[in-house]
mmCIF file of all heavy atoms in Angstrom:
data_model
loop_
_atom_site.group_PDB
_atom_site.id
_atom_site.type_symbol
_atom_site.label_atom_id
_atom_site.label_comp_id
_atom_site.label_asym_id
_atom_site.label_seq_id
_atom_site.Cartn_x
_atom_site.Cartn_y
_atom_site.Cartn_z
ATOM 1 N N HIS A 71 -4.986 -3.041 -8.065
ATOM 2 C CA HIS A 71 -5.063 -2.226 -9.277
ATOM 3 C C HIS A 71 -4.089 -2.748 -10.311
ATOM 4 O O HIS A 71 -2.963 -3.120 -9.972
ATOM 5 C CB HIS A 71 -4.715 -0.761 -8.975
ATOM 6 C CG HIS A 71 -5.666 -0.085 -8.058
ATOM 7 N ND1 HIS A 71 -6.922 0.305 -8.446
ATOM 8 C CD2 HIS A 71 -5.554 0.259 -6.757
ATOM 9 C CE1 HIS A 71 -7.535 0.873 -7.422
ATOM 10 N NE2 HIS A 71 -6.729 0.852 -6.392
ATOM 11 N N GLY A 72 -4.503 -2.730 -11.557
ATOM 12 C CA GLY A 72 -3.625 -3.118 -12.652
ATOM 13 C C GLY A 72 -3.062 -1.886 -13.340
ATOM 14 O O GLY A 72 -3.748 -0.873 -13.466
ATOM 15 N N PHE A 73 -1.812 -1.962 -13.754
ATOM 16 C CA PHE A 73 -1.139 -0.860 -14.440
ATOM 17 C C PHE A 73 -0.417 -1.383 -15.667
ATOM 18 O O PHE A 73 0.026 -2.538 -15.695
ATOM 19 C CB PHE A 73 -0.125 -0.191 -13.509
ATOM 20 C CG PHE A 73 -0.750 0.473 -12.314
ATOM 21 C CD1 PHE A 73 -0.880 -0.213 -11.114
ATOM 22 C CD2 PHE A 73 -1.221 1.771 -12.388
ATOM 23 C CE1 PHE A 73 -1.462 0.389 -10.007
ATOM 24 C CE2 PHE A 73 -1.808 2.379 -11.290
ATOM 25 C CZ PHE A 73 -1.923 1.696 -10.099
ATOM 26 N N GLU A 74 -0.245 -0.535 -16.644
ATOM 27 C CA GLU A 74 0.412 -0.921 -17.890
ATOM 28 C C GLU A 74 1.931 -0.764 -17.850
ATOM 29 O O GLU A 74 2.632 -1.444 -18.579
ATOM 30 C CB GLU A 74 -0.157 -0.120 -19.066
ATOM 31 C CG GLU A 74 -1.588 -0.498 -19.392
ATOM 32 C CD GLU A 74 -1.745 -1.974 -19.743
ATOM 33 O OE1 GLU A 74 -0.927 -2.499 -20.525
ATOM 34 O OE2 GLU A 74 -2.691 -2.602 -19.234
ATOM 35 N N THR A 75 2.442 0.164 -17.021
ATOM 36 C CA THR A 75 3.895 0.371 -16.963
ATOM 37 C C THR A 75 4.385 0.267 -15.527
ATOM 38 O O THR A 75 3.636 0.531 -14.574
ATOM 39 C CB THR A 75 4.315 1.751 -17.515
ATOM 40 O OG1 THR A 75 3.834 2.773 -16.628
ATOM 41 C CG2 THR A 75 3.780 1.976 -18.925
ATOM 42 N N ARG A 76 5.643 -0.081 -15.367
ATOM 43 C CA ARG A 76 6.259 -0.198 -14.042
ATOM 44 C C ARG A 76 6.267 1.162 -13.342
ATOM 45 O O ARG A 76 5.962 1.263 -12.153
ATOM 46 C CB ARG A 76 7.681 -0.735 -14.188
ATOM 47 C CG ARG A 76 8.350 -1.063 -12.879
ATOM 48 C CD ARG A 76 9.712 -1.711 -13.157
ATOM 49 N NE ARG A 76 10.209 -2.421 -12.017
ATOM 50 C CZ ARG A 76 11.143 -1.927 -11.189
ATOM 51 N NH1 ARG A 76 11.647 -0.740 -11.396
ATOM 52 N NH2 ARG A 76 11.553 -2.649 -10.163
ATOM 53 N N GLU A 77 6.611 2.210 -14.080
ATOM 54 C CA GLU A 77 6.680 3.547 -13.490
ATOM 55 C C GLU A 77 5.319 3.986 -12.963
ATOM 56 O O GLU A 77 5.212 4.508 -11.854
ATOM 57 C CB GLU A 77 7.200 4.566 -14.520
ATOM 58 C CG GLU A 77 8.633 4.353 -14.935
ATOM 59 C CD GLU A 77 8.830 3.176 -15.904
ATOM 60 O OE1 GLU A 77 7.856 2.776 -16.604
ATOM 61 O OE2 GLU A 77 9.943 2.633 -15.929
ATOM 62 N N ARG A 78 4.282 3.769 -13.754
ATOM 63 C CA ARG A 78 2.932 4.151 -13.325
ATOM 64 C C ARG A 78 2.486 3.300 -12.139
ATOM 65 O O ARG A 78 1.817 3.791 -11.229
ATOM 66 C CB ARG A 78 1.945 4.033 -14.495
ATOM 67 C CG ARG A 78 0.544 4.432 -14.144
ATOM 68 C CD ARG A 78 0.444 5.898 -13.694
ATOM 69 N NE ARG A 78 -0.844 6.120 -13.054
ATOM 70 C CZ ARG A 78 -1.011 6.504 -11.795
ATOM 71 N NH1 ARG A 78 0.017 6.779 -11.041
ATOM 72 N NH2 ARG A 78 -2.212 6.645 -11.284
ATOM 73 N N ALA A 79 2.857 2.040 -12.125
ATOM 74 C CA ALA A 79 2.505 1.161 -11.010
ATOM 75 C C ALA A 79 3.148 1.640 -9.712
ATOM 76 O O ALA A 79 2.499 1.685 -8.664
ATOM 77 C CB ALA A 79 2.918 -0.275 -11.316
ATOM 78 N N ILE A 80 4.417 2.008 -9.767
ATOM 79 C CA ILE A 80 5.105 2.492 -8.565
ATOM 80 C C ILE A 80 4.493 3.811 -8.100
ATOM 81 O O ILE A 80 4.259 4.007 -6.906
ATOM 82 C CB ILE A 80 6.622 2.610 -8.807
ATOM 83 C CG1 ILE A 80 7.227 1.198 -8.942
ATOM 84 C CG2 ILE A 80 7.300 3.388 -7.687
ATOM 85 C CD1 ILE A 80 8.678 1.169 -9.379
ATOM 86 N N GLU A 81 4.202 4.709 -9.027
ATOM 87 C CA GLU A 81 3.564 5.976 -8.651
ATOM 88 C C GLU A 81 2.178 5.733 -8.058
ATOM 89 O O GLU A 81 1.796 6.378 -7.080
ATOM 90 C CB GLU A 81 3.495 6.927 -9.845
ATOM 91 C CG GLU A 81 4.817 7.570 -10.160
ATOM 92 C CD GLU A 81 5.475 8.229 -8.959
ATOM 93 O OE1 GLU A 81 4.818 9.031 -8.243
ATOM 94 O OE2 GLU A 81 6.662 7.934 -8.697
ATOM 95 N N GLY A 82 1.426 4.794 -8.642
ATOM 96 C CA GLY A 82 0.104 4.452 -8.102
ATOM 97 C C GLY A 82 0.199 3.874 -6.700
ATOM 98 O O GLY A 82 -0.623 4.173 -5.834
ATOM 99 N N ALA A 83 1.221 3.050 -6.449
ATOM 100 C CA ALA A 83 1.443 2.470 -5.122
ATOM 101 C C ALA A 83 1.763 3.566 -4.111
ATOM 102 O O ALA A 83 1.205 3.599 -3.007
ATOM 103 C CB ALA A 83 2.565 1.443 -5.181
ATOM 104 N N LYS A 84 2.640 4.480 -4.483
ATOM 105 C CA LYS A 84 3.003 5.580 -3.588
ATOM 106 C C LYS A 84 1.789 6.452 -3.270
ATOM 107 O O LYS A 84 1.573 6.843 -2.117
ATOM 108 C CB LYS A 84 4.104 6.425 -4.217
ATOM 109 C CG LYS A 84 5.445 5.723 -4.281
ATOM 110 C CD LYS A 84 6.479 6.599 -4.970
ATOM 111 C CE LYS A 84 7.843 5.945 -5.010
ATOM 112 N NZ LYS A 84 8.852 6.811 -5.666
ATOM 113 N N GLU A 85 0.997 6.742 -4.284
ATOM 114 C CA GLU A 85 -0.209 7.544 -4.090
ATOM 115 C C GLU A 85 -1.174 6.843 -3.132
ATOM 116 O O GLU A 85 -1.759 7.465 -2.240
ATOM 117 C CB GLU A 85 -0.868 7.770 -5.449
ATOM 118 C CG GLU A 85 -2.116 8.606 -5.397
ATOM 119 C CD GLU A 85 -2.704 8.796 -6.783
ATOM 120 O OE1 GLU A 85 -1.941 9.001 -7.750
ATOM 121 O OE2 GLU A 85 -3.939 8.715 -6.901
ATOM 122 N N HIS A 86 -1.340 5.535 -3.305
ATOM 123 C CA HIS A 86 -2.225 4.768 -2.427
ATOM 124 C C HIS A 86 -1.754 4.854 -0.971
ATOM 125 O O HIS A 86 -2.558 5.094 -0.062
ATOM 126 C CB HIS A 86 -2.272 3.304 -2.875
ATOM 127 C CG HIS A 86 -3.056 2.436 -1.952
ATOM 128 N ND1 HIS A 86 -4.420 2.320 -2.022
ATOM 129 C CD2 HIS A 86 -2.667 1.662 -0.907
ATOM 130 C CE1 HIS A 86 -4.845 1.506 -1.064
ATOM 131 N NE2 HIS A 86 -3.797 1.087 -0.377
ATOM 132 N N LEU A 87 -0.456 4.676 -0.745
ATOM 133 C CA LEU A 87 0.075 4.725 0.618
ATOM 134 C C LEU A 87 -0.128 6.105 1.242
ATOM 135 O O LEU A 87 -0.559 6.217 2.398
ATOM 136 C CB LEU A 87 1.554 4.345 0.623
ATOM 137 C CG LEU A 87 1.842 2.881 0.257
ATOM 138 C CD1 LEU A 87 3.337 2.667 0.077
ATOM 139 C CD2 LEU A 87 1.266 1.929 1.284
ATOM 140 N N ARG A 88 0.180 7.146 0.492
ATOM 141 C CA ARG A 88 -0.008 8.506 1.019
ATOM 142 C C ARG A 88 -1.477 8.760 1.365
ATOM 143 O O ARG A 88 -1.780 9.383 2.384
ATOM 144 C CB ARG A 88 0.484 9.529 0.001
ATOM 145 C CG ARG A 88 1.978 9.570 -0.116
ATOM 146 C CD ARG A 88 2.427 10.701 -1.054
ATOM 147 N NE ARG A 88 3.840 10.594 -1.294
ATOM 148 C CZ ARG A 88 4.392 10.179 -2.437
ATOM 149 N NH1 ARG A 88 3.633 9.851 -3.472
ATOM 150 N NH2 ARG A 88 5.707 10.116 -2.558
ATOM 151 N N THR A 89 -2.380 8.262 0.534
ATOM 152 C CA THR A 89 -3.815 8.439 0.778
ATOM 153 C C THR A 89 -4.242 7.735 2.062
ATOM 154 O O THR A 89 -5.026 8.281 2.845
ATOM 155 C CB THR A 89 -4.632 7.904 -0.415
ATOM 156 O OG1 THR A 89 -4.303 8.677 -1.571
ATOM 157 C CG2 THR A 89 -6.126 7.966 -0.146
ATOM 158 N N GLN A 90 -3.736 6.527 2.307
ATOM 159 C CA GLN A 90 -4.121 5.799 3.518
ATOM 160 C C GLN A 90 -3.685 6.564 4.770
ATOM 161 O O GLN A 90 -4.447 6.687 5.722
ATOM 162 C CB GLN A 90 -3.536 4.384 3.517
ATOM 163 C CG GLN A 90 -4.008 3.510 2.372
ATOM 164 C CD GLN A 90 -5.475 3.656 2.083
ATOM 165 O OE1 GLN A 90 -6.328 3.360 2.906
ATOM 166 N NE2 GLN A 90 -5.785 4.142 0.893
ATOM 167 N N PHE A 91 -2.469 7.080 4.757
ATOM 168 C CA PHE A 91 -2.008 7.858 5.914
ATOM 169 C C PHE A 91 -2.809 9.150 6.067
ATOM 170 O O PHE A 91 -3.129 9.556 7.186
ATOM 171 C CB PHE A 91 -0.509 8.133 5.816
ATOM 172 C CG PHE A 91 0.330 6.965 6.249
ATOM 173 C CD1 PHE A 91 0.923 6.123 5.318
ATOM 174 C CD2 PHE A 91 0.525 6.691 7.599
ATOM 175 C CE1 PHE A 91 1.680 5.035 5.721
ATOM 176 C CE2 PHE A 91 1.281 5.613 8.003
ATOM 177 C CZ PHE A 91 1.862 4.782 7.067
ATOM 178 N N ALA A 92 -3.171 9.785 4.961
ATOM 179 C CA ALA A 92 -3.969 11.010 5.027
ATOM 180 C C ALA A 92 -5.328 10.730 5.667
ATOM 181 O O ALA A 92 -5.875 11.584 6.383
ATOM 182 C CB ALA A 92 -4.143 11.604 3.631
ATOM 183 N N ARG A 93 -5.852 9.532 5.447
ATOM 184 C CA ARG A 93 -7.159 9.162 6.002
ATOM 185 C C ARG A 93 -7.139 9.057 7.524
ATOM 186 O O ARG A 93 -8.193 9.037 8.157
ATOM 187 C CB ARG A 93 -7.628 7.840 5.399
ATOM 188 C CG ARG A 93 -7.959 7.962 3.917
ATOM 189 C CD ARG A 93 -8.210 6.627 3.287
ATOM 190 N NE ARG A 93 -9.610 6.252 3.422
ATOM 191 C CZ ARG A 93 -10.112 5.116 2.971
ATOM 192 N NH1 ARG A 93 -9.330 4.224 2.377
ATOM 193 N NH2 ARG A 93 -11.380 4.843 3.125
ATOM 194 N N VAL A 94 -5.944 8.978 8.118
ATOM 195 C CA VAL A 94 -5.833 8.945 9.584
ATOM 196 C C VAL A 94 -5.107 10.183 10.094
ATOM 197 O O VAL A 94 -4.563 10.196 11.195
ATOM 198 C CB VAL A 94 -5.176 7.639 10.096
ATOM 199 C CG1 VAL A 94 -6.069 6.445 9.825
ATOM 200 C CG2 VAL A 94 -3.795 7.440 9.517
ATOM 201 N N GLY A 95 -5.078 11.243 9.281
ATOM 202 C CA GLY A 95 -4.581 12.531 9.744
ATOM 203 C C GLY A 95 -3.103 12.807 9.556
ATOM 204 O O GLY A 95 -2.590 13.779 10.107
ATOM 205 N N VAL A 96 -2.390 12.003 8.785
ATOM 206 C CA VAL A 96 -0.958 12.223 8.553
ATOM 207 C C VAL A 96 -0.788 12.984 7.236
ATOM 208 O O VAL A 96 -1.341 12.579 6.205
ATOM 209 C CB VAL A 96 -0.189 10.887 8.485
ATOM 210 C CG1 VAL A 96 1.273 11.111 8.148
ATOM 211 C CG2 VAL A 96 -0.326 10.135 9.805
ATOM 212 N N ALA A 97 -0.039 14.064 7.271
ATOM 213 C CA ALA A 97 0.219 14.849 6.056
ATOM 214 C C ALA A 97 0.987 14.006 5.045
ATOM 215 O O ALA A 97 1.905 13.261 5.412
ATOM 216 C CB ALA A 97 1.020 16.102 6.396
ATOM 217 N N GLU A 98 0.610 14.119 3.783
ATOM 218 C CA GLU A 98 1.281 13.357 2.724
ATOM 219 C C GLU A 98 2.784 13.609 2.715
ATOM 220 O O GLU A 98 3.568 12.703 2.461
ATOM 221 C CB GLU A 98 0.681 13.697 1.360
ATOM 222 C CG GLU A 98 -0.715 13.155 1.173
ATOM 223 C CD GLU A 98 -1.259 13.400 -0.220
ATOM 224 O OE1 GLU A 98 -0.470 13.707 -1.137
ATOM 225 O OE2 GLU A 98 -2.479 13.271 -0.387
ATOM 226 N N SER A 99 3.187 14.837 3.024
ATOM 227 C CA SER A 99 4.618 15.172 3.022
ATOM 228 C C SER A 99 5.384 14.474 4.144
ATOM 229 O O SER A 99 6.612 14.398 4.092
ATOM 230 C CB SER A 99 4.801 16.686 3.115
ATOM 231 O OG SER A 99 4.213 17.177 4.309
ATOM 232 N N ASP A 100 4.680 13.954 5.148
ATOM 233 C CA ASP A 100 5.329 13.263 6.267
ATOM 234 C C ASP A 100 5.519 11.770 6.013
ATOM 235 O O ASP A 100 6.113 11.075 6.832
ATOM 236 C CB ASP A 100 4.517 13.437 7.555
ATOM 237 C CG ASP A 100 4.554 14.865 8.069
ATOM 238 O OD1 ASP A 100 5.458 15.622 7.669
ATOM 239 O OD2 ASP A 100 3.659 15.217 8.864
ATOM 240 N N VAL A 101 5.005 11.262 4.895
ATOM 241 C CA VAL A 101 5.092 9.835 4.593
ATOM 242 C C VAL A 101 6.378 9.561 3.817
ATOM 243 O O VAL A 101 6.602 10.113 2.750
ATOM 244 C CB VAL A 101 3.871 9.353 3.777
ATOM 245 C CG1 VAL A 101 3.972 7.861 3.484
ATOM 246 C CG2 VAL A 101 2.573 9.665 4.524
ATOM 247 N N GLU A 102 7.237 8.714 4.396
ATOM 248 C CA GLU A 102 8.457 8.283 3.715
ATOM 249 C C GLU A 102 8.159 6.958 3.036
ATOM 250 O O GLU A 102 7.583 6.058 3.648
ATOM 251 C CB GLU A 102 9.595 8.104 4.713
ATOM 252 C CG GLU A 102 10.031 9.400 5.365
ATOM 253 C CD GLU A 102 11.155 9.185 6.358
ATOM 254 O OE1 GLU A 102 11.948 8.230 6.198
ATOM 255 O OE2 GLU A 102 11.222 9.967 7.309
ATOM 256 N N ILE A 103 8.545 6.845 1.779
ATOM 257 C CA ILE A 103 8.230 5.636 1.012
ATOM 258 C C ILE A 103 9.503 4.993 0.505
ATOM 259 O O ILE A 103 10.415 5.671 0.030
ATOM 260 C CB ILE A 103 7.285 5.960 -0.154
ATOM 261 C CG1 ILE A 103 5.959 6.483 0.419
ATOM 262 C CG2 ILE A 103 7.066 4.730 -1.030
ATOM 263 C CD1 ILE A 103 4.928 6.854 -0.590
#
Side-chain angles (χ1 to χ4, degrees):
H71 296 286
F73 296 93
E74 291 301 315
T75 68
R76 187 175 198 259
E77 293 76 23
R78 181 61 194 119
I80 290 172
E81 284 308 310
K84 290 178 178 181
E85 181 180 320
H86 175 84
L87 293 171
R88 288 185 188 107
T89 297
Q90 298 318 297
F91 280 101
R93 292 171 88 181
V94 293
V96 176
E98 289 185 16
S99 60
D100 291 341
V101 181
E102 294 180 28
I103 297 180

